[in-house]
Every structure is written in C-alpha cells, then in structure tokens.
Amino acid sequence: MIVRDSLILAQRTVTKMVRNPEQFLDVSVQPIVMTVIFVFIFGGAIAGTSQDYLQFALPGIIVQTIMTTAMTIGVNLNSDLKNGVFDRFRSLPIARSAPLMGAVTGDVVRHSIAIGVTLAFGAAIGFRFLTPWYSVVTAIVLMIVFAMSLCWTSVFIGMLARSSGAVQGLSFLIVFPLTFGSSAFVPAATMPGWLQGWVAINPVTHVTDAMRGLLVGNSIMTPGTSVGGEVLWVLLSCVVLVGVFFPLAMRAYRTKL
Amino acid sequence: MTAAIEARGLTKRFGTTQALAGIDLTVGPGRVLGVLGPNGAGKTSAVRILATLLKPDAGTVTVAGFDVVTHPVDVRRRIGLTGQYASVDEDLRGVENLVMIGRLLGLSRSDAKARAAELLEEFELTDAGGRLAKTYSGGMRRRLDLAASLIGRPSVVFLDEPTTGLDPAKRDDVWEMIRTLVRQGTTVLLTTQYLEEADALANEITVIDHGLVIAHDTPEGLKRQVGGQTLEVRPADDRDLDRVTALLASVGTRAPEFPAPSLVSVPVAGADALTATVARLHAENIAVTELSLRLPSLDEVFYSLTGHTPAVPSATGLVTEGAAS
Ligand SMILES: Nc1ncnc2c1ncn2[C@@H]1O[C@H](COP(=O)(O)OP(=O)(O)OP(=O)(O)O)[C@@H](O)[C@H]1O
Ligand SMILES: [Mg+2]
C-alpha cells in the first residue's frame, strides 16, 4: 500500500522534472564541468599526467556529483511544501511518509542521469573500466542506494529551514567539508596527520574507495582496504543515514503545520 | 442519528494569537452548515482541525463518527477538503491532478481515469483537462480543486470559502454543484464571508469572530436578528434626496442611512417594501439610477450582533489579534 502510494507520488516528481527541464541542468552539465576542472586543470599537478589523474579522480567526481544531486531534494521539497498540494496529500488516507518517500524515489531519475553523464563523459575523454561489467553495475546500484539514503539528510534540512535559499546554504556547508576532506580528489597520504584522521573516518572516503575498487580495481584504493569491506561500509552508513534522518525528517514534516 | 460533524470546545493558539477560543459546531448528516466570519475569525483554523490537518490544543471533534485526533485515517477516508487556497499541482495537467488523487484513494488506473473524466465533465473542464494547471484561471483552479476533493465520493465535505474569487456566473455554478452534493446525501460544512452565500446554501449558520461563536441560527432566524434585507435607492437628481429619504423612512424598519453620497439605504422587513417603494417613486415622479434589495453585508451583520464592525485586517491578512475588540 505505502509502496504503491510512494510510486504514484514518485511518478508525480518525475513528471514535474520532465516539465521543468532546467532541473536536469545540474545533473548533466555540472559533472562535465567538474571533470574538466579537476582532470585538466589540477590533474597534471596532482598526479603528473591528466590521464593518470582521470583514472584516480573519476570515481571521486561521481561521488561528489551524487552528493550535490542528493542535496537538491531538500530545496525542491521546501518550496513544494509551500504549495497547497501537500495539504491535499495530508487530507488523504495515505501514509504520512508517502509524499516524502515518493520524492526520494522519483529523484532516482536525477541520480541515474548524473552517474550516466559522468561515466559517459569520463569514458569519452579516456577513462578505462578495468573491472568486469557486473562490477560496474554494482557500482552504479551502490551509488543510487547511497544517494537515496543521503537524500533523507537533505529532506530533513528541507523540512526545518524557512526558505529554500537557507536549505541550499546549509547543504553546501555539509557537502563541502565532506567531499574535500576525503580522498575523493587527492590521496590521503599527502595530507597532514590531523586531516588524515578525519579523512579515514569520513564516509565519503569509503564511498569513493568502494567506487574505485568497483570501477578500476584495488590498485588505486587506499592501501589496506578491500572492495568487499568498503561496500559493506557504504551499506552500513546507508542504514545509519536512513535510521537517523528518516525519523527526524518525518517528525519535522509532521510538525510543519 | 448522531451528528456528522461534532466539535466541542475547540481551541487553537498560534504563538500569541488565539485563533480558536473554544468553539462548538454541530452538523447533522446530510445537512449544510455555513460558518460565517470576517478575516482572521478562525474559519480556516477550524476547517483544518476538522479535516485532520491540524491538531487542536483542546476540545473534541468527531467527523463521520470518528475522533479526528485518535482515528485520523478513518476520518480521511470519509472526507473531502477544498482549502481556501487551491491545492492543485501546477506542473500537472488538470486530468493528471485528478487521476493522481484517484489512484492515491485506491482506484485502479482505468477507474481513476474514468472518475476524472466524469468530474471534469461535471465541472465543465473537459476541454481544459489536457492543459497544465498553471495555465488555468483562478476560477478553473477552484473548480479543479473542488473536483479533486470529490473523487472519493466523501460523505462529509469541507469547503473553505469555495466561491471567493469566482465571477457571479461561476459562483452560481458552484452553488448548484453544492446543492447537487447535498441532494445526494453529503454533509457539507462551508465557510464564507457572505451572508448571502450562507443564506443561499445552508440549513444553519454559525457566526464566528475572534475564535468564538457569536451567533448560531437558521438563515431565517439570523436575518430576523440582523434586520432582514436592505433597500437602497439612488435618485437620478440629488434634489430628490430629501423626498427619497422621507419615502424610505416610511417603508423601513429603522431610520435611513447614507452609505455613499446620494445613496439612501434602509433596513426593510420583506420584499413587499420593494413593491411599495417602486409604486410610490412612480407616483411621485422620482427618477432613480439605482434601486436594489440586498441582504446585509458581513459588516452590517456584525454591527447588529455585536454593536461594532469587525476589526479591519491589513491587506496582507497578517493581523495581530488580541489588540482588537
Ligand atoms: N500557522 C499560523 N501561524 C500563526 N498564526 C496563524 C496561523 N494560522 C492562522 N493564524 C492566525 O490565527 C487567526 C485565525 O486565522 P484563520 O486563518 O483561521 O482565519 P480565517 O477566518 O480563515 O480568516 P480568512 O477569512 O482571512 O481566511 C488569524 O489571526 C491568523 O493570523
Ligand atoms: Mg481562511
């Protein structure tokens, strides 16, 4: 029942996306711009050649893209809530969480586009997949699961904040230290000790390592980690993210008028 | 038979604003209650509590036999709500809005489509059904919203100012639709700022102000309390003003007043006064540019009931209550 309702509402989210194609701009243009900046501007300096850096950084760029994509859901929901449609939903005999679950589910379309564009553009400028096809599929699925879990953080912020501008600012404050304080763009070994401590526990580091293992292989992962271990780590952080932020988001949604 | 809507001692406070200060509302099954009140009276707050969107601070409410706080889902299965501000999805087509609600109410895709087509037809939106709701006029949005609240064939319907912003023809259409609902046995609670609307539709009227019930009566009883109808005459020539005033003084139940320059108005007991006035204007050869018989405005109702006119809210509707009265 709740699954059916959520899917009906996810369809609403997707229809709205298709009707407002500018919503696809960030998921299609942004990953390309990020890839160009990192690979061609910083790449040579960080890794010697931009080609080597591409192999190393593309998995990180995917993670960073997904983080910013996941964070936009709060902005969208915040302005959507001001629209009377949510009053209509609240007066219907459906689960309270269905409209939020629908929005999170509908956003899978955006995540898929973001991942697809980054991989395709990466491949076009020379990124080589060095793992079997099922590894690549696992990587994509893992990224989507991670994105859906991370979405609940943003949904929570979206429910709390007064304006969608505030949601944007707050999300940026969260995403920025998480992505740059990780091994997504630079190996942790080059950083000062205190920062290495943070990088080692930062979930983004583990997500990036899992992606590197699944798309390229052990060779570029943080020394001493394994693909299986990192994937498990990612799934565990998904459980924690949903376990903490789903109830918080629901509580904020209930009390939001 | 128990009441379809029963509210006892409802209170609700927003910060320092006491939106509801303990109101009682009762509506029998298949009946229509008009809740009449000025801006900020608490109409929307009351409707939102009755429709399970808001929890009361105190008081008990049952709708269709279920407590709104302890059994909200049972209530939601039986109600339809048209809020004060249209709750349609702008980025969806008219028909998509209705199909989505139908499906959320458990209808299959084909049943939801059939029901949507039926309602679009009923609300004369069939031609516009394929257009995005954001291209709709205010009146079309309202009608789409009304249609959306009827998809599940609810037994109790809440309409929060259903005709505000509609032109007179469309307003009459909405009135007719509400009468049809009532003929089918639906219980209706509607809020309005117009005595005329409550009079046209409701079996009983509850007047609220500052979150309190200040009158509850049948439309006839209420009109009797507030002095029935008002007759207004505007002579073509200002020199006839004195004669018109004298004439109206003799047919009215109170002394004539001058709501506007060269406009004379007087409360009258019934439509007979109109016939008498027309006959005497003709006999005395007084030409008029305006002659009308109307129900008292909300201001006049309040004046009669409370001896003061309701506090005038600011244009944004953001009035701080408490200072008033
Ligand atoms: N969410 C809210 N937060 C703060 N104050 C509120 C809120 N909702 C309503 N109020 C206040 O409660 C009072 C009653 O508001 P309500 O909307 O119920 O009035 P209303 O009779 O529907 O008025 P209108 O005719 O303007 O729609 C008003 O003073 C309003 O400012
Ligand atoms: Mg209102």
Side-chain angles (χ1 to χ4, degrees), chain B residues 43-44 84 160-161:
Chain B
K43 302 183 296 295
T44 299
Q84 183 169 359
D160 196 1
E161 300 194 22

Side-chain angles (χ1 to χ4, degrees), chain B residues 171-311:
Chain B
R171 187 200 63 177
D172 289 349
D173 290 349
V174 169
W175 283 8
E176 210 33 59
M177 178 233 82
I178 295 172
R179 292 192 182 107
T180 308
L181 274 183
V182 175
R183 272 197 295 279
Q184 293 162 355
T186 312
T187 306
V188 175
L189 183 147
L190 67 94
T191 74
T192 178
Q193 303 196 28
Y194 309 105
L195 178 59
E196 187 193 0
E197 179 159 85
D199 182 41
L201 298 170
N203 304 111
E204 284 167 55
I205 301 175
T206 298
V207 186
I208 65 172
D209 186 27
H210 290 108
L212 284 169
V213 174
I214 58 171
H216 175 83
D217 212 328
T218 57
E220 285 65 38
L222 193 67
K223 278 187 286 183
R224 219 175 299 122
Q225 275 190 56
V226 300
Q229 292 155 306
T230 299
L231 183 63
E232 285 182 337
V233 178
R234 190 192 295 274
D237 190 336
D238 276 355
R239 281 169 299 185
D240 289 331
L241 263 179
D242 289 344
R243 283 201 290 158
V244 168
T245 310
L247 193 158
L248 289 191
S250 65
V251 296
T253 55
R254 279 209 301 264
E257 286 173 19
F258 304 92
S262 61
L263 182 68
V264 192
S265 87
V266 74
V268 295
D272 287 351
L274 179 66
T275 335
T277 307
V278 172
R280 289 186 49 190
L281 286 170
H282 183 69
E284 295 189 27
N285 237 327
I286 304 174
V288 298
T289 55
E290 196 182 323
L291 177 76
S292 64
L293 187 65
R294 60 165 177 81
L295 284 173
S297 69
L298 189 60
D299 279 356
E300 289 161 337
V301 170
F302 270 82
Y303 192 77
S304 316
L305 291 172
T306 66
H308 62 84
T309 46

Side-chain angles (χ1 to χ4, degrees), chain A residues 13 16-17 19 27 32 40-41 43-44 47 58 68 77 88 90 93 106 115 122 124 139 143 165 169 174 199 219 223:
Chain A
T13 306
K16 286 167 79 81
M17 268 180 221
R19 304 255 159 93
V27 292
I32 294 178
F40 296 115
I41 299 178
L58 195 77
T68 49
L77 272 177
R88 164 83 54 214
R90 269 187 262 238
I115 298 169
M143 254 356 269
I174 294 178
V199 171
S219 58

